[in-house]
PDB file of all heavy atoms in Angstrom:
ATOM      1  N   GLU A 203     -10.423   5.359  -2.626  1.00 98.00           N
ATOM      2  CA  GLU A 203      -9.128   4.853  -2.843  1.00 98.00           C
ATOM      3  C   GLU A 203      -9.062   3.364  -2.482  1.00 98.00           C
ATOM      4  O   GLU A 203      -8.321   2.586  -3.116  1.00 98.00           O
ATOM      5  CB  GLU A 203      -8.090   5.644  -2.108  1.00 98.00           C
ATOM      6  CG  GLU A 203      -7.681   6.979  -2.812  1.00 98.00           C
ATOM      7  CD  GLU A 203      -8.715   8.045  -2.776  1.00 98.00           C
ATOM      8  OE1 GLU A 203      -9.449   8.110  -1.761  1.00 98.00           O
ATOM      9  OE2 GLU A 203      -8.802   8.819  -3.765  1.00 98.00           O
ATOM     10  N   ALA A 204      -9.728   2.980  -1.366  1.00 98.00           N
ATOM     11  CA  ALA A 204      -9.806   1.543  -1.000  1.00 98.00           C
ATOM     12  C   ALA A 204     -11.011   1.377  -0.104  1.00 98.00           C
ATOM     13  O   ALA A 204     -11.794   2.337   0.169  1.00 98.00           O
ATOM     14  CB  ALA A 204      -8.493   1.104  -0.362  1.00 98.00           C
ATOM     15  N   TYR A 205     -11.204   0.187   0.427  1.00 98.00           N
ATOM     16  CA  TYR A 205     -12.487  -0.244   1.092  1.00 98.00           C
ATOM     17  C   TYR A 205     -12.223  -1.059   2.392  1.00 98.00           C
ATOM     18  O   TYR A 205     -11.250  -1.830   2.464  1.00 98.00           O
ATOM     19  CB  TYR A 205     -13.320  -0.977   0.163  1.00 98.00           C
ATOM     20  CG  TYR A 205     -13.623  -0.213  -1.070  1.00 98.00           C
ATOM     21  CD1 TYR A 205     -12.722  -0.275  -2.170  1.00 98.00           C
ATOM     22  CD2 TYR A 205     -14.642   0.713  -1.150  1.00 98.00           C
ATOM     23  CE1 TYR A 205     -12.973   0.477  -3.329  1.00 98.00           C
ATOM     24  CE2 TYR A 205     -14.887   1.486  -2.251  1.00 98.00           C
ATOM     25  CZ  TYR A 205     -13.987   1.381  -3.371  1.00 98.00           C
ATOM     26  OH  TYR A 205     -14.171   2.116  -4.492  1.00 98.00           O
ATOM     27  N   ALA A 206     -13.069  -0.787   3.342  1.00 98.00           N
ATOM     28  CA  ALA A 206     -13.000  -1.556   4.597  1.00 98.00           C
ATOM     29  C   ALA A 206     -14.249  -2.233   4.908  1.00 98.00           C
ATOM     30  O   ALA A 206     -15.313  -1.951   4.284  1.00 98.00           O
ATOM     31  CB  ALA A 206     -12.779  -0.570   5.772  1.00 98.00           C
ATOM     32  N   ILE A 207     -14.125  -3.262   5.734  1.00 98.00           N
ATOM     33  CA  ILE A 207     -15.362  -4.070   6.161  1.00 98.00           C
ATOM     34  C   ILE A 207     -15.540  -3.665   7.690  1.00 98.00           C
ATOM     35  O   ILE A 207     -14.620  -3.914   8.447  1.00 98.00           O
ATOM     36  CB  ILE A 207     -15.153  -5.559   5.988  1.00 98.00           C
ATOM     37  CG1 ILE A 207     -14.919  -6.001   4.506  1.00 98.00           C
ATOM     38  CG2 ILE A 207     -16.329  -6.288   6.543  1.00 98.00           C
ATOM     39  CD1 ILE A 207     -14.604  -7.392   4.314  1.00 98.00           C
ATOM     40  N   GLY A 208     -16.645  -2.960   7.948  1.00 97.00           N
ATOM     41  CA  GLY A 208     -16.888  -2.562   9.295  1.00 97.00           C
ATOM     42  C   GLY A 208     -17.994  -3.431   9.919  1.00 97.00           C
ATOM     43  O   GLY A 208     -18.659  -4.234   9.319  1.00 97.00           O
ATOM     44  N   GLY A 209     -18.250  -3.162  11.215  1.00 95.00           N
ATOM     45  CA  GLY A 209     -19.391  -3.823  11.928  1.00 95.00           C
ATOM     46  C   GLY A 209     -19.241  -5.253  12.208  1.00 95.00           C
ATOM     47  O   GLY A 209     -20.200  -5.931  12.431  1.00 95.00           O
ATOM     48  N   LEU A 210     -17.998  -5.804  12.113  1.00 95.00           N
ATOM     49  CA  LEU A 210     -17.703  -7.175  12.571  1.00 95.00           C
ATOM     50  C   LEU A 210     -16.905  -7.090  13.897  1.00 95.00           C
ATOM     51  O   LEU A 210     -16.522  -6.091  14.322  1.00 95.00           O
ATOM     52  CB  LEU A 210     -17.000  -7.980  11.445  1.00 95.00           C
ATOM     53  CG  LEU A 210     -17.884  -8.217  10.220  1.00 95.00           C
ATOM     54  CD1 LEU A 210     -17.091  -8.966   9.105  1.00 95.00           C
ATOM     55  CD2 LEU A 210     -19.148  -9.054  10.522  1.00 95.00           C
ATOM     56  N   SER A 211     -16.654  -8.347  14.410  1.00 92.00           N
ATOM     57  CA  SER A 211     -15.963  -8.409  15.724  1.00 92.00           C
ATOM     58  C   SER A 211     -16.797  -7.640  16.749  1.00 92.00           C
ATOM     59  O   SER A 211     -16.223  -6.968  17.657  1.00 92.00           O
ATOM     60  CB  SER A 211     -14.594  -7.865  15.673  1.00 92.00           C
ATOM     61  OG  SER A 211     -13.670  -8.763  15.211  1.00 92.00           O
ATOM     62  N   VAL A 212     -18.112  -7.784  16.746  1.00 91.00           N
ATOM     63  CA  VAL A 212     -18.888  -7.021  17.665  1.00 91.00           C
ATOM     64  C   VAL A 212     -19.745  -7.977  18.516  1.00 91.00           C
ATOM     65  O   VAL A 212     -20.719  -7.659  19.118  1.00 91.00           O
ATOM     66  CB  VAL A 212     -19.914  -6.009  16.979  1.00 91.00           C
ATOM     67  CG1 VAL A 212     -19.080  -4.865  16.398  1.00 91.00           C
ATOM     68  CG2 VAL A 212     -20.725  -6.709  15.889  1.00 91.00           C
ATOM     69  N   GLY A 213     -19.273  -9.245  18.602  1.00 91.00           N
ATOM     70  CA  GLY A 213     -19.882 -10.225  19.411  1.00 91.00           C
ATOM     71  C   GLY A 213     -20.460 -11.436  18.711  1.00 91.00           C
ATOM     72  O   GLY A 213     -20.994 -12.362  19.285  1.00 91.00           O
ATOM     73  N   GLU A 214     -20.400 -11.383  17.322  1.00 93.00           N
ATOM     74  CA  GLU A 214     -20.925 -12.575  16.611  1.00 93.00           C
ATOM     75  C   GLU A 214     -19.872 -13.693  16.696  1.00 93.00           C
ATOM     76  O   GLU A 214     -18.682 -13.355  16.836  1.00 93.00           O
ATOM     77  CB  GLU A 214     -21.162 -12.165  15.094  1.00 93.00           C
ATOM     78  CG  GLU A 214     -19.948 -11.974  14.187  1.00 93.00           C
ATOM     79  CD  GLU A 214     -19.185 -10.686  14.491  1.00 93.00           C
ATOM     80  OE1 GLU A 214     -19.554  -9.914  15.354  1.00 93.00           O
ATOM     81  OE2 GLU A 214     -18.103 -10.522  13.814  1.00 93.00           O
TER      82      GLU A 214
END
Side-chain angles (χ1 to χ4, degrees):
E203 278 71 34
Y205 302 89
I207 301 177
L210 292 177
S211 276
V212 289
E214 77 284 0

